[in-house]
Amino acid sequence: MSQRCEWVQGKPAYYISYHDQVWGKPEHRDRYLFKYLLMETFHTGLSWQLVLSKEAEFEKAFDGFDYRVIAHYQSDKVASLLMNRGIIRHRGKIEASIKNAQAFLQVQADYGSFDHFIWSFTQGQVVERQSGEALAKWSDLSDQVTRVLKTYGFKYIGSVTIYSYLQAIGVINDHDLNCSFR
């Protein structure tokens, strides 16, 4: 029988699926790297369970997380998103998603891909949680990534949000040491 991280016990099936199949697994596809960045910006100040429960609705509302499309959203699309009951309707976060898509494209232009950029902070290596370390909320790495992202104009990000993002995309593997999904 598989053993999971202690914090996922009692969570809904979609959350367990996220833990088992996504969290801590290295991701290199730019579209998914953007997807989780967008979702993490909506996570700011809210529970991840709430955001994750709306994943399918976010995907529909935000054109399959296509950052090339999102970067060109206009006020009519923002108004439409603000009326969408399936997502979190927060003007600042919606507008930040557009700005972040534009910044994402700039990072791609500068680095060839967002993947090259985000993994360059660890020279392509996964940062593994070590025995005896408590589950962190931020780190020197997330501080550094946040500082650079902000120079590109990314919004609704901070070190805690970026730490969570780095976990989601597998740059940081914070699974419990006895977790079968490590």
Side-chain angles (χ1 to χ4, degrees), residues 94-156:
I94 291 168
E95 290 174 348
S97 296
I98 299 165
K99 287 280 204 194
N100 291 352
Q102 294 164 353
F104 194 90
L105 288 167
Q106 186 59 55
V107 170
Q108 282 184 319
D110 290 352
Y111 286 84
S113 70
F114 194 84
D115 175 61
H116 287 138
F117 164 77
I118 201 68
W119 283 93
S120 72
F121 289 92
T122 62
Q123 293 73 50
Q125 301 300 307
V126 174
V127 176
E128 299 278 350
R129 183 162 141 207
Q130 302 300 309
S131 177
E133 286 183 342
L135 193 59
K137 292 189 181 203
W138 71 88
S139 67
D140 290 342
L141 174 61
S142 64
D143 287 346
Q144 180 185 12
V145 173
T146 300
R147 277 193 301 275
V148 176
L149 288 173
K150 285 185 176 189
T151 67
Y152 276 94
F154 283 86
K155 305 291 183 201
Y156 270 89

Short mmCIF file of all heavy atoms in Angstrom, two decimals, residues 94-156:
data_model
loop_
_atom_site.label_atom_id
_atom_site.label_comp_id
_atom_site.label_asym_id
_atom_site.label_seq_id
_atom_site.Cartn_x
_atom_site.Cartn_y
_atom_site.Cartn_z
N ILE A 94 -6.77 38.59 -11.88
CA ILE A 94 -7.05 38.41 -13.31
C ILE A 94 -6.11 39.29 -14.12
O ILE A 94 -5.47 38.84 -15.08
CB ILE A 94 -8.53 38.68 -13.63
CG1 ILE A 94 -9.42 37.58 -13.03
CG2 ILE A 94 -8.75 38.80 -15.14
CD1 ILE A 94 -10.90 37.89 -13.03
N GLU A 95 -6.02 40.56 -13.75
CA GLU A 95 -5.14 41.48 -14.46
C GLU A 95 -3.67 41.07 -14.30
O GLU A 95 -2.88 41.20 -15.24
CB GLU A 95 -5.38 42.91 -14.00
CG GLU A 95 -6.73 43.42 -14.47
CD GLU A 95 -7.13 44.78 -13.93
OE1 GLU A 95 -6.44 45.28 -12.99
OE2 GLU A 95 -8.12 45.35 -14.44
N ALA A 96 -3.30 40.54 -13.13
CA ALA A 96 -1.94 40.05 -12.92
C ALA A 96 -1.65 38.87 -13.84
O ALA A 96 -0.52 38.74 -14.34
CB ALA A 96 -1.75 39.65 -11.46
N SER A 97 -2.65 38.05 -14.10
CA SER A 97 -2.45 36.90 -15.00
C SER A 97 -2.08 37.35 -16.41
O SER A 97 -1.26 36.73 -17.08
CB SER A 97 -3.70 36.03 -15.04
OG SER A 97 -3.95 35.49 -13.76
N ILE A 98 -2.69 38.45 -16.83
CA ILE A 98 -2.37 39.01 -18.16
C ILE A 98 -0.95 39.56 -18.15
O ILE A 98 -0.15 39.27 -19.06
CB ILE A 98 -3.39 40.09 -18.55
CG1 ILE A 98 -4.80 39.49 -18.61
CG2 ILE A 98 -3.00 40.76 -19.87
CD1 ILE A 98 -5.92 40.51 -18.63
N LYS A 99 -0.62 40.35 -17.14
CA LYS A 99 0.74 40.90 -17.02
C LYS A 99 1.77 39.77 -16.92
O LYS A 99 2.85 39.85 -17.52
CB LYS A 99 0.85 41.78 -15.77
CG LYS A 99 0.16 43.10 -15.88
CD LYS A 99 1.03 44.03 -16.65
CE LYS A 99 0.67 45.45 -16.30
NZ LYS A 99 1.27 46.36 -17.25
N ASN A 100 1.43 38.73 -16.17
CA ASN A 100 2.35 37.62 -16.00
C ASN A 100 2.55 36.85 -17.30
O ASN A 100 3.66 36.37 -17.57
CB ASN A 100 1.89 36.71 -14.87
CG ASN A 100 2.00 37.37 -13.51
OD1 ASN A 100 2.57 38.46 -13.37
ND2 ASN A 100 1.47 36.73 -12.49
N ALA A 101 1.50 36.74 -18.11
CA ALA A 101 1.65 36.09 -19.42
C ALA A 101 2.59 36.90 -20.30
O ALA A 101 3.43 36.34 -21.02
CB ALA A 101 0.28 35.92 -20.08
N GLN A 102 2.47 38.21 -20.25
CA GLN A 102 3.36 39.09 -21.03
C GLN A 102 4.80 38.95 -20.53
O GLN A 102 5.74 38.85 -21.34
CB GLN A 102 2.87 40.54 -20.93
CG GLN A 102 1.53 40.75 -21.59
CD GLN A 102 0.85 42.05 -21.19
OE1 GLN A 102 1.30 42.78 -20.30
NE2 GLN A 102 -0.27 42.34 -21.84
N ALA A 103 4.97 38.93 -19.22
CA ALA A 103 6.31 38.78 -18.65
C ALA A 103 6.88 37.39 -18.96
O ALA A 103 8.08 37.25 -19.23
CB ALA A 103 6.26 39.01 -17.14
N PHE A 104 6.03 36.38 -18.95
CA PHE A 104 6.42 35.01 -19.28
C PHE A 104 7.00 34.97 -20.69
O PHE A 104 8.05 34.35 -20.93
CB PHE A 104 5.20 34.10 -19.16
CG PHE A 104 5.47 32.63 -19.13
CD1 PHE A 104 5.68 31.96 -17.94
CD2 PHE A 104 5.46 31.89 -20.31
CE1 PHE A 104 5.89 30.59 -17.90
CE2 PHE A 104 5.67 30.51 -20.29
CZ PHE A 104 5.89 29.87 -19.09
N LEU A 105 6.33 35.65 -21.63
CA LEU A 105 6.81 35.71 -23.01
C LEU A 105 8.17 36.42 -23.08
O LEU A 105 9.04 36.01 -23.87
CB LEU A 105 5.79 36.43 -23.89
CG LEU A 105 4.52 35.64 -24.19
CD1 LEU A 105 3.46 36.55 -24.81
CD2 LEU A 105 4.81 34.46 -25.10
N GLN A 106 8.37 37.43 -22.27
CA GLN A 106 9.66 38.13 -22.26
C GLN A 106 10.76 37.22 -21.73
O GLN A 106 11.87 37.21 -22.26
CB GLN A 106 9.58 39.42 -21.44
CG GLN A 106 10.84 40.25 -21.51
CD GLN A 106 11.20 40.66 -22.93
OE1 GLN A 106 10.40 41.25 -23.64
NE2 GLN A 106 12.41 40.32 -23.37
N VAL A 107 10.46 36.47 -20.68
CA VAL A 107 11.45 35.51 -20.15
C VAL A 107 11.80 34.48 -21.23
O VAL A 107 12.97 34.16 -21.44
CB VAL A 107 10.93 34.81 -18.87
CG1 VAL A 107 11.83 33.65 -18.47
CG2 VAL A 107 10.81 35.81 -17.72
N GLN A 108 10.78 33.99 -21.93
CA GLN A 108 11.04 33.04 -23.02
C GLN A 108 11.96 33.66 -24.07
O GLN A 108 12.88 32.99 -24.56
CB GLN A 108 9.74 32.62 -23.69
CG GLN A 108 8.94 31.60 -22.92
CD GLN A 108 7.71 31.18 -23.71
OE1 GLN A 108 7.03 31.99 -24.33
NE2 GLN A 108 7.42 29.89 -23.66
N ALA A 109 11.70 34.90 -24.42
CA ALA A 109 12.53 35.57 -25.42
C ALA A 109 13.97 35.69 -24.95
O ALA A 109 14.92 35.53 -25.73
CB ALA A 109 11.94 36.94 -25.75
N ASP A 110 14.16 35.96 -23.67
CA ASP A 110 15.51 36.15 -23.12
C ASP A 110 16.25 34.84 -22.88
O ASP A 110 17.48 34.80 -22.97
CB ASP A 110 15.44 36.93 -21.80
CG ASP A 110 15.06 38.39 -22.01
OD1 ASP A 110 14.99 38.84 -23.18
OD2 ASP A 110 14.83 39.07 -20.99
N TYR A 111 15.53 33.76 -22.56
CA TYR A 111 16.17 32.50 -22.17
C TYR A 111 15.91 31.35 -23.15
O TYR A 111 16.45 30.26 -22.96
CB TYR A 111 15.69 32.06 -20.78
CG TYR A 111 16.29 32.89 -19.67
CD1 TYR A 111 15.73 34.11 -19.30
CD2 TYR A 111 17.42 32.46 -18.98
CE1 TYR A 111 16.27 34.88 -18.28
CE2 TYR A 111 17.97 33.21 -17.96
CZ TYR A 111 17.39 34.42 -17.62
OH TYR A 111 17.93 35.18 -16.62
N GLY A 112 15.09 31.57 -24.15
CA GLY A 112 14.75 30.49 -25.08
C GLY A 112 13.54 29.71 -24.66
O GLY A 112 12.80 29.20 -25.49
N SER A 113 13.31 29.61 -23.37
CA SER A 113 12.12 28.98 -22.80
C SER A 113 12.04 29.37 -21.33
O SER A 113 13.05 29.70 -20.71
CB SER A 113 12.14 27.45 -22.93
OG SER A 113 13.11 26.89 -22.07
N PHE A 114 10.83 29.32 -20.79
CA PHE A 114 10.69 29.57 -19.36
C PHE A 114 11.34 28.42 -18.59
O PHE A 114 11.91 28.62 -17.52
CB PHE A 114 9.22 29.73 -18.98
CG PHE A 114 9.04 30.31 -17.60
CD1 PHE A 114 9.08 31.68 -17.41
CD2 PHE A 114 8.81 29.50 -16.51
CE1 PHE A 114 8.93 32.23 -16.14
CE2 PHE A 114 8.65 30.03 -15.24
CZ PHE A 114 8.71 31.41 -15.05
N ASP A 115 11.26 27.23 -19.15
CA ASP A 115 11.89 26.06 -18.55
C ASP A 115 13.38 26.30 -18.30
O ASP A 115 13.87 26.05 -17.20
CB ASP A 115 11.67 24.85 -19.46
CG ASP A 115 12.39 23.61 -18.97
OD1 ASP A 115 12.08 23.15 -17.86
OD2 ASP A 115 13.27 23.11 -19.70
N HIS A 116 14.10 26.78 -19.30
CA HIS A 116 15.53 27.05 -19.13
C HIS A 116 15.75 28.06 -18.00
O HIS A 116 16.67 27.92 -17.20
CB HIS A 116 16.15 27.58 -20.42
CG HIS A 116 16.31 26.54 -21.46
ND1 HIS A 116 16.03 26.77 -22.79
CD2 HIS A 116 16.70 25.25 -21.39
CE1 HIS A 116 16.25 25.68 -23.47
NE2 HIS A 116 16.64 24.73 -22.66
N PHE A 117 14.90 29.08 -17.98
CA PHE A 117 15.01 30.12 -16.96
C PHE A 117 14.80 29.55 -15.55
O PHE A 117 15.66 29.69 -14.69
CB PHE A 117 13.99 31.22 -17.24
CG PHE A 117 13.74 32.14 -16.07
CD1 PHE A 117 14.66 33.13 -15.75
CD2 PHE A 117 12.59 32.02 -15.31
CE1 PHE A 117 14.43 33.98 -14.68
CE2 PHE A 117 12.36 32.86 -14.23
CZ PHE A 117 13.29 33.84 -13.91
N ILE A 118 13.66 28.90 -15.33
CA ILE A 118 13.29 28.51 -13.96
C ILE A 118 14.22 27.42 -13.42
O ILE A 118 14.57 27.43 -12.24
CB ILE A 118 11.79 28.12 -13.86
CG1 ILE A 118 11.29 28.22 -12.41
CG2 ILE A 118 11.51 26.74 -14.44
CD1 ILE A 118 11.22 29.61 -11.86
N TRP A 119 14.66 26.53 -14.28
CA TRP A 119 15.56 25.46 -13.83
C TRP A 119 17.01 25.92 -13.72
O TRP A 119 17.83 25.24 -13.12
CB TRP A 119 15.41 24.24 -14.73
CG TRP A 119 14.15 23.47 -14.40
CD1 TRP A 119 12.93 23.62 -14.99
CD2 TRP A 119 14.00 22.48 -13.40
NE1 TRP A 119 12.02 22.78 -14.41
CE2 TRP A 119 12.65 22.05 -13.43
CE3 TRP A 119 14.85 21.89 -12.47
CZ2 TRP A 119 12.15 21.07 -12.58
CZ3 TRP A 119 14.36 20.91 -11.62
CH2 TRP A 119 13.02 20.52 -11.67
N SER A 120 17.32 27.09 -14.27
CA SER A 120 18.70 27.60 -14.17
C SER A 120 19.08 27.95 -12.74
O SER A 120 20.26 27.92 -12.38
CB SER A 120 18.90 28.81 -15.08
OG SER A 120 18.23 29.96 -14.56
N PHE A 121 18.10 28.23 -11.92
CA PHE A 121 18.38 28.60 -10.52
C PHE A 121 18.97 27.44 -9.72
O PHE A 121 19.62 27.65 -8.71
CB PHE A 121 17.10 29.11 -9.83
CG PHE A 121 16.67 30.46 -10.32
CD1 PHE A 121 15.77 30.57 -11.36
CD2 PHE A 121 17.17 31.62 -9.76
CE1 PHE A 121 15.36 31.81 -11.84
CE2 PHE A 121 16.78 32.87 -10.22
CZ PHE A 121 15.88 32.97 -11.27
N THR A 122 18.71 26.21 -10.19
CA THR A 122 19.23 25.02 -9.51
C THR A 122 20.13 24.20 -10.43
O THR A 122 20.38 23.02 -10.16
CB THR A 122 18.09 24.14 -8.97
OG1 THR A 122 17.30 23.67 -10.08
CG2 THR A 122 17.23 24.89 -7.98
N GLN A 123 20.56 24.80 -11.53
CA GLN A 123 21.37 24.11 -12.54
C GLN A 123 20.69 22.81 -12.99
O GLN A 123 21.34 21.80 -13.23
CB GLN A 123 22.80 23.81 -12.02
CG GLN A 123 23.67 25.04 -11.79
CD GLN A 123 23.25 25.82 -10.56
OE1 GLN A 123 23.09 25.26 -9.48
NE2 GLN A 123 23.07 27.11 -10.72
N GLY A 124 19.36 22.86 -13.09
CA GLY A 124 18.59 21.72 -13.58
C GLY A 124 18.37 20.62 -12.57
O GLY A 124 17.81 19.57 -12.90
N GLN A 125 18.78 20.85 -11.34
CA GLN A 125 18.67 19.82 -10.31
C GLN A 125 17.46 20.07 -9.40
O GLN A 125 17.13 21.21 -9.11
CB GLN A 125 19.94 19.80 -9.43
CG GLN A 125 21.20 19.52 -10.22
CD GLN A 125 21.16 18.19 -10.93
OE1 GLN A 125 20.90 17.15 -10.32
NE2 GLN A 125 21.39 18.22 -12.24
N VAL A 126 16.85 18.98 -8.97
CA VAL A 126 15.74 19.06 -8.00
C VAL A 126 16.34 19.29 -6.62
O VAL A 126 17.31 18.64 -6.23
CB VAL A 126 14.91 17.76 -8.02
CG1 VAL A 126 13.85 17.77 -6.92
CG2 VAL A 126 14.26 17.55 -9.39
N VAL A 127 15.76 20.22 -5.88
CA VAL A 127 16.15 20.46 -4.49
C VAL A 127 15.33 19.50 -3.63
O VAL A 127 14.10 19.61 -3.57
CB VAL A 127 15.90 21.93 -4.08
CG1 VAL A 127 16.23 22.14 -2.61
CG2 VAL A 127 16.69 22.88 -4.97
N GLU A 128 15.99 18.56 -3.00
CA GLU A 128 15.32 17.53 -2.21
C GLU A 128 15.27 17.92 -0.74
O GLU A 128 16.27 18.37 -0.19
CB GLU A 128 16.06 16.19 -2.34
CG GLU A 128 16.13 15.65 -3.75
CD GLU A 128 14.88 14.92 -4.18
OE1 GLU A 128 13.99 14.65 -3.34
OE2 GLU A 128 14.78 14.61 -5.38
N ARG A 129 14.12 17.72 -0.14
CA ARG A 129 14.00 17.91 1.32
C ARG A 129 14.84 16.84 2.00
O ARG A 129 14.81 15.67 1.63
CB ARG A 129 12.54 17.78 1.71
CG ARG A 129 12.29 18.04 3.18
CD ARG A 129 10.82 18.33 3.37
NE ARG A 129 10.31 17.74 4.57
CZ ARG A 129 9.06 17.38 4.75
NH1 ARG A 129 8.21 17.51 3.77
NH2 ARG A 129 8.65 16.89 5.88
N GLN A 130 15.57 17.26 2.99
CA GLN A 130 16.48 16.36 3.69
C GLN A 130 15.87 15.86 5.00
O GLN A 130 14.95 16.48 5.54
CB GLN A 130 17.80 17.08 4.00
CG GLN A 130 18.51 17.60 2.77
CD GLN A 130 18.87 16.52 1.77
OE1 GLN A 130 19.47 15.52 2.14
NE2 GLN A 130 18.47 16.69 0.53
N SER A 131 16.37 14.77 5.48
CA SER A 131 15.93 14.19 6.73
C SER A 131 16.03 15.23 7.85
O SER A 131 17.04 15.93 7.97
CB SER A 131 16.80 12.98 7.07
OG SER A 131 16.43 12.44 8.31
N GLY A 132 14.98 15.34 8.62
CA GLY A 132 14.97 16.26 9.75
C GLY A 132 14.51 17.66 9.41
O GLY A 132 14.25 18.46 10.31
N GLU A 133 14.43 18.01 8.12
CA GLU A 133 13.97 19.34 7.74
C GLU A 133 12.45 19.41 7.82
O GLU A 133 11.75 18.50 7.37
CB GLU A 133 14.37 19.67 6.30
CG GLU A 133 15.83 19.99 6.12
CD GLU A 133 16.14 20.37 4.68
OE1 GLU A 133 15.34 20.07 3.77
OE2 GLU A 133 17.21 20.97 4.47
N ALA A 134 11.97 20.49 8.39
CA ALA A 134 10.52 20.72 8.43
C ALA A 134 10.07 21.23 7.06
O ALA A 134 10.87 21.75 6.29
CB ALA A 134 10.19 21.76 9.50
N LEU A 135 8.80 21.06 6.76
CA LEU A 135 8.24 21.58 5.52
C LEU A 135 8.29 23.11 5.58
O LEU A 135 7.74 23.72 6.49
CB LEU A 135 6.80 21.09 5.36
CG LEU A 135 6.15 21.26 4.01
CD1 LEU A 135 6.94 20.54 2.92
CD2 LEU A 135 4.73 20.72 4.03
N ALA A 136 8.98 23.71 4.64
CA ALA A 136 9.20 25.16 4.64
C ALA A 136 8.07 25.88 3.92
O ALA A 136 7.27 25.27 3.21
CB ALA A 136 10.53 25.48 3.97
N LYS A 137 8.03 27.20 4.08
CA LYS A 137 7.07 28.04 3.36
C LYS A 137 7.79 28.95 2.38
O LYS A 137 7.17 29.47 1.46
CB LYS A 137 6.25 28.87 4.34
CG LYS A 137 5.33 28.01 5.17
CD LYS A 137 4.38 28.84 5.97
CE LYS A 137 3.51 27.89 6.77
NZ LYS A 137 2.28 28.38 7.19
N TRP A 138 9.07 29.16 2.58
CA TRP A 138 9.89 29.95 1.66
C TRP A 138 11.34 29.56 1.90
O TRP A 138 11.66 28.85 2.86
CB TRP A 138 9.68 31.45 1.83
CG TRP A 138 10.24 32.02 3.09
CD1 TRP A 138 11.50 32.49 3.30
CD2 TRP A 138 9.56 32.17 4.34
NE1 TRP A 138 11.65 32.92 4.60
CE2 TRP A 138 10.46 32.73 5.25
CE3 TRP A 138 8.27 31.88 4.77
CZ2 TRP A 138 10.12 33.01 6.58
CZ3 TRP A 138 7.93 32.16 6.07
CH2 TRP A 138 8.84 32.72 6.95
N SER A 139 12.21 30.04 1.04
CA SER A 139 13.63 29.70 1.15
C SER A 139 14.45 30.78 0.47
O SER A 139 13.92 31.67 -0.20
CB SER A 139 13.91 28.34 0.50
OG SER A 139 13.71 28.43 -0.91
N ASP A 140 15.77 30.66 0.59
CA ASP A 140 16.64 31.58 -0.14
C ASP A 140 16.40 31.45 -1.63
O ASP A 140 16.42 32.44 -2.36
CB ASP A 140 18.12 31.28 0.17
CG ASP A 140 18.51 31.66 1.59
OD1 ASP A 140 17.77 32.45 2.23
OD2 ASP A 140 19.55 31.17 2.08
N LEU A 141 16.14 30.23 -2.10
CA LEU A 141 15.87 30.00 -3.52
C LEU A 141 14.60 30.73 -3.95
O LEU A 141 14.60 31.43 -4.97
CB LEU A 141 15.73 28.49 -3.80
CG LEU A 141 15.31 28.11 -5.21
CD1 LEU A 141 16.31 28.59 -6.25
CD2 LEU A 141 15.09 26.60 -5.30
N SER A 142 13.53 30.59 -3.18
CA SER A 142 12.28 31.27 -3.57
C SER A 142 12.44 32.79 -3.48
O SER A 142 11.86 33.52 -4.29
CB SER A 142 11.08 30.78 -2.75
OG SER A 142 11.20 31.08 -1.38
N ASP A 143 13.24 33.27 -2.53
CA ASP A 143 13.53 34.72 -2.46
C ASP A 143 14.24 35.17 -3.74
O ASP A 143 13.88 36.19 -4.32
CB ASP A 143 14.44 35.04 -1.27
CG ASP A 143 13.75 34.97 0.08
OD1 ASP A 143 12.50 34.93 0.14
OD2 ASP A 143 14.48 34.95 1.10
N GLN A 144 15.23 34.40 -4.17
CA GLN A 144 16.02 34.76 -5.35
C GLN A 144 15.14 34.73 -6.61
O GLN A 144 15.17 35.68 -7.41
CB GLN A 144 17.18 33.78 -5.49
CG GLN A 144 18.06 34.04 -6.68
CD GLN A 144 19.12 32.97 -6.86
OE1 GLN A 144 19.09 31.92 -6.24
NE2 GLN A 144 20.08 33.25 -7.74
N VAL A 145 14.36 33.68 -6.80
CA VAL A 145 13.49 33.57 -7.97
C VAL A 145 12.49 34.72 -7.98
O VAL A 145 12.26 35.35 -9.02
CB VAL A 145 12.79 32.20 -8.02
CG1 VAL A 145 11.76 32.16 -9.15
CG2 VAL A 145 13.80 31.07 -8.18
N THR A 146 11.91 35.02 -6.84
CA THR A 146 10.93 36.11 -6.73
C THR A 146 11.54 37.43 -7.15
O THR A 146 10.93 38.19 -7.92
CB THR A 146 10.38 36.20 -5.29
OG1 THR A 146 9.76 34.95 -4.95
CG2 THR A 146 9.39 37.34 -5.14
N ARG A 147 12.74 37.72 -6.66
CA ARG A 147 13.40 38.98 -7.02
C ARG A 147 13.56 39.11 -8.54
O ARG A 147 13.27 40.15 -9.11
CB ARG A 147 14.77 39.09 -6.34
CG ARG A 147 14.72 39.59 -4.91
CD ARG A 147 16.09 39.98 -4.37
NE ARG A 147 17.05 38.88 -4.40
CZ ARG A 147 17.18 37.96 -3.46
NH1 ARG A 147 16.38 37.99 -2.40
NH2 ARG A 147 18.08 37.01 -3.56
N VAL A 148 14.00 38.04 -9.18
CA VAL A 148 14.22 38.09 -10.63
C VAL A 148 12.88 38.20 -11.37
O VAL A 148 12.75 38.99 -12.31
CB VAL A 148 15.04 36.87 -11.12
CG1 VAL A 148 15.17 36.89 -12.63
CG2 VAL A 148 16.42 36.86 -10.45
N LEU A 149 11.88 37.44 -10.95
CA LEU A 149 10.56 37.52 -11.59
C LEU A 149 10.00 38.94 -11.50
O LEU A 149 9.42 39.45 -12.46
CB LEU A 149 9.59 36.52 -10.98
CG LEU A 149 9.82 35.06 -11.31
CD1 LEU A 149 8.89 34.16 -10.50
CD2 LEU A 149 9.67 34.77 -12.80
N LYS A 150 10.19 39.58 -10.38
CA LYS A 150 9.68 40.95 -10.21
C LYS A 150 10.37 41.92 -11.15
O LYS A 150 9.75 42.88 -11.61
CB LYS A 150 9.80 41.39 -8.75
CG LYS A 150 8.75 40.74 -7.87
CD LYS A 150 8.78 41.25 -6.45
CE LYS A 150 7.63 40.62 -5.68
NZ LYS A 150 7.44 41.20 -4.37
N THR A 151 11.64 41.67 -11.49
CA THR A 151 12.31 42.56 -12.44
C THR A 151 11.68 42.45 -13.82
O THR A 151 11.77 43.39 -14.61
CB THR A 151 13.83 42.28 -12.55
OG1 THR A 151 14.04 41.00 -13.14
CG2 THR A 151 14.52 42.39 -11.20
N TYR A 152 11.04 41.33 -14.09
CA TYR A 152 10.33 41.15 -15.36
C TYR A 152 8.90 41.70 -15.31
O TYR A 152 8.20 41.70 -16.31
CB TYR A 152 10.28 39.67 -15.74
CG TYR A 152 11.52 39.21 -16.47
CD1 TYR A 152 12.57 38.64 -15.76
CD2 TYR A 152 11.64 39.34 -17.84
CE1 TYR A 152 13.71 38.21 -16.42
CE2 TYR A 152 12.77 38.93 -18.50
CZ TYR A 152 13.80 38.36 -17.80
OH TYR A 152 14.93 37.94 -18.45
N GLY A 153 8.46 42.11 -14.13
CA GLY A 153 7.13 42.69 -14.00
C GLY A 153 6.04 41.73 -13.54
O GLY A 153 4.86 42.06 -13.60
N PHE A 154 6.42 40.53 -13.09
CA PHE A 154 5.41 39.58 -12.59
C PHE A 154 4.71 40.18 -11.38
O PHE A 154 5.34 40.85 -10.56
CB PHE A 154 6.06 38.25 -12.22
CG PHE A 154 6.39 37.39 -13.40
CD1 PHE A 154 7.58 37.54 -14.08
CD2 PHE A 154 5.50 36.41 -13.83
CE1 PHE A 154 7.90 36.74 -15.17
CE2 PHE A 154 5.80 35.62 -14.92
CZ PHE A 154 7.00 35.78 -15.60
N LYS A 155 3.41 39.93 -11.27
CA LYS A 155 2.57 40.47 -10.20
C LYS A 155 1.97 39.33 -9.37
O LYS A 155 1.87 38.21 -9.82
CB LYS A 155 1.42 41.29 -10.79
CG LYS A 155 1.86 42.41 -11.71
CD LYS A 155 2.56 43.49 -10.95
CE LYS A 155 2.94 44.64 -11.87
NZ LYS A 155 3.99 45.45 -11.31
N TYR A 156 1.51 39.70 -8.18
CA TYR A 156 0.90 38.77 -7.23
C TYR A 156 1.80 37.59 -6.93
O TYR A 156 1.36 36.44 -6.85
CB TYR A 156 -0.49 38.31 -7.70
CG TYR A 156 -1.57 39.22 -7.20
CD1 TYR A 156 -1.94 40.33 -7.93
CD2 TYR A 156 -2.18 38.99 -5.98
CE1 TYR A 156 -2.90 41.20 -7.47
CE2 TYR A 156 -3.15 39.85 -5.51
CZ TYR A 156 -3.51 40.96 -6.26
OH TYR A 156 -4.46 41.82 -5.79
#
